[in-house]
Amino acid sequence: MLEKIEQLKAEIAAAEAQNEAAVEELRIKYLSKKGAISLLMNDFRTVAPELKRELGQKLNELKTFATERINTLKTQAAEQAAGAAADALDLTRTPAPMPIGTRHPLNIVRQEIIDIFSRMGFSIAEGPEIEDDWHVFSSLNFAADHPARDMQDTFFLSRDPEQGDVLLRTHTSSVQTRVMEHAQPPIRIICPGRVYRNEAISARAHCFFHQVEALYVAENVSFADLKQALLFFAREMFGPETQIRLRPSYFPFTEPSAEMDISCNICGGKGCAFCKQTGWVEILGCGMVDPNVLDACGIDSKKYTGYALGMGIERITNLKYRVKDLRMFSENDVRFLREFTSAAK
Ligand code: DAH
């Protein structure tokens, strides 16, 4: 038996295994219930009593030796397998292309408008979307019974005659007040932002949309200055051939007020279905800031004058990219958004 023990020990010491399955085979061969060492244990029962002590010790040593050896082989095989997996990783391979998002068309146009006005020296001002009556209406010379104050046009968050109404701004003109309350002329700001109106959603109207407001207040600002800024903007935005036309209009916060048309950029002014055969399309409202507004905001209307203008970003985007249905802008359909990949700078 002693011989057999020595032989098994030598065998196990020399055993090698290429992988974890081979290690398992060795374990079964030596250490399982029917393995070589267990069989020896069975034979041990028949050994003469005077030999039992020595042989029992040797047998136990063999079992411990085999267990340790097989554990070592198992660890080696696992390390080898991990190494092989790491070798299979090719770091020089070109990666799978990552889908890159595109800029939203409204953001592209918003940025373009901002760029044009910043070339004329305007800087960006922003204000809150949740506003009060003063900033959206009263300071801007809206009469108490003006229809824009109606529930049908304005989303009110709370109505309280003592605390004042809290509402979602219906136009970015509220930012004019916010800036003029805290600054003295010269003021030259452009205010992009989202506005809300209580409208049923359709292809032509939405309950929220985006505007850009511009305001210039200083000494001796005239209507001619306004007209020059408008012409510059129209030609930068729609091309150097673009003509502009001003039509008298009314806004509570400007006097005189006008609406600006540009020559239709589809037919070049000849008349087509888009401009309803008129050759002109309306793009914005503007005017000289009403002296009441300047005074309400703490600016001396005897010393300073100013012009203001406001436009819808959706409208400009529609003219540039022919997006016929306003709902497309907020549906997040990637097929629509992907069309603007090349327009984003
Ligand atoms: N606030 C107006 C609107 O929402 C747009 C507008 C018109 C803004 C004339 C102006 C302006 O600053 O002068 O319809």
Side-chain angles (χ1 to χ4, degrees):
M1 177 167 255
L2 197 56
E3 250 174 55
K4 183 78 183 159
I5 291 174
E6 292 302 329
Q7 183 204 331
L8 276 179
K9 197 170 176 181
E11 220 180 282
I12 293 168
E16 290 294 343
Q18 295 307 317
N19 51 42
E20 285 169 274
V23 177
E24 180 61 8
E25 264 174 41
L26 287 178
R27 190 193 65 79
I28 292 169
K29 184 169 169 192
Y30 296 108
L31 289 173
S32 69
K33 266 192 189 152
K34 289 187 179 158
I37 295 175
S38 307
L39 293 180
L40 268 188
M41 294 274 191
N42 289 342
D43 293 348
F44 179 71
R45 279 190 230 123
T46 60
V47 163
E50 64 274 20
L51 295 176
K52 270 204 161 137
R53 197 160 169 237
E54 188 197 353
L55 281 178
Q57 207 179 353
K58 293 268 181 210
L59 250 179
N60 276 335
E61 277 172 19
L62 174 67
K63 193 169 178 190
T64 314
F65 175 74
T67 311
E68 281 171 5
R69 174 75 188 144
I70 281 172
N71 280 343
T72 313
L73 287 174
K74 198 169 175 173
T75 318
Q76 279 174 0
E79 279 170 4
Q80 251 178 22
D87 287 345
L89 185 68
D90 180 359
L91 294 176
T92 63
R93 233 180 88 181
T94 318
M98 242 192 281
I100 297 176
T102 59
R103 283 175 59 207
H104 193 280
L106 292 178
N107 247 331
I108 297 171
V109 171
R110 172 186 185 272
Q111 194 54 48
E112 230 177 305
I113 299 170
I114 291 174
D115 286 348
I116 296 169
F117 278 93
S118 42
R119 291 205 286 282
M120 288 190 271
F122 287 75
S123 48
I124 298 178
E126 280 177 339
E129 292 178 9
I130 297 176
E131 269 291 9
D132 50 37
D133 177 277
W134 168 254
H135 290 93
V136 177
F137 298 124
S138 300
S139 63
L140 293 166
N141 208 25
F142 279 81
D145 57 354
H146 194 284
R149 292 172 175 239
D150 204 313
M151 289 282 278
Q152 270 164 4
D153 293 303
T154 307
F155 286 115
F156 288 94
L157 301 182
S158 70
R159 304 205 80 167
D160 183 335
E162 283 184 11
Q163 301 278 319
D165 295 338
V166 179
L167 45 99
L168 293 178
R169 66 178 177 196
T170 55
H171 56 180
T172 44
S173 304
S174 53
V175 188
Q176 288 189 20
T177 303
R178 292 215 167 256
V179 171
M180 288 194 285
E181 277 174 339
H182 295 108
Q184 282 298 311
I187 293 169
R188 211 194 304 238
I189 48 153
I190 177 159
C191 325
R194 180 175 286 183
V195 301
Y196 300 84
R197 286 189 199 170
N198 196 353
E199 305 242 17
I201 297 171
S202 71
R204 310 180 113 251
H206 210 294
C207 58
F208 65 81
F209 56 99
H210 301 80
Q211 288 187 332
V212 176
E213 184 90 8
L215 173 74
Y216 177 35
V217 183
E219 281 180 58
N220 299 321
V221 177
S222 70
F223 202 94
D225 296 324
L226 168 62
K227 216 173 152 184
Q228 191 181 30
L230 290 172
L231 184 64
F232 179 78
F233 168 72
R235 294 201 164 155
E236 289 289 296
M237 194 76 197
F238 297 103
E241 309 299 321
T242 310
Q243 301 293 320
I244 64 168
R245 168 175 100 167
L246 293 172
R247 283 179 291 103
S249 184
Y250 172 78
F251 299 104
F253 36 89
T254 44
E255 181 59 35
S257 306
E259 267 164 323
M260 180 175 95
D261 298 340
I262 57 164
S263 50
C264 177
N265 67 335
I266 298 182
C267 60
K270 288 191 203 75
C272 66
F274 189 80
C275 60
K276 301 196 187 78
Q277 310 303 330
T278 62
W280 297 95
V281 282
E282 183 197 320
I283 66 162
L284 56 77
C286 59
M288 300 306 291
V289 182
D290 193 303
N292 290 343
V293 175
L294 294 176
D295 290 334
C297 298
I299 288 175
D300 184 354
S301 63
K302 298 210 172 51
K303 187 166 177 204
Y304 299 107
T305 50
Y307 67 69
L309 60 99
M311 68 186 102
I313 304 183
E314 278 81 352
R315 174 107 186 116
I316 308 285
T317 310
N318 183 7
L319 272 170
K320 278 208 92 152
Y321 298 113
R322 316 262 172 276
V323 180
K324 291 218 181 76
D325 189 332
L326 267 181
R327 291 169 292 197
M328 306 278 275
F329 289 126
S330 46
E331 274 170 0
N332 283 337
D333 184 334
V334 286
R335 290 167 302 180
F336 168 70
L337 297 173
R338 275 201 198 113
E339 290 185 35
F340 297 88
T341 313
S342 61
K345 270 187 240 162

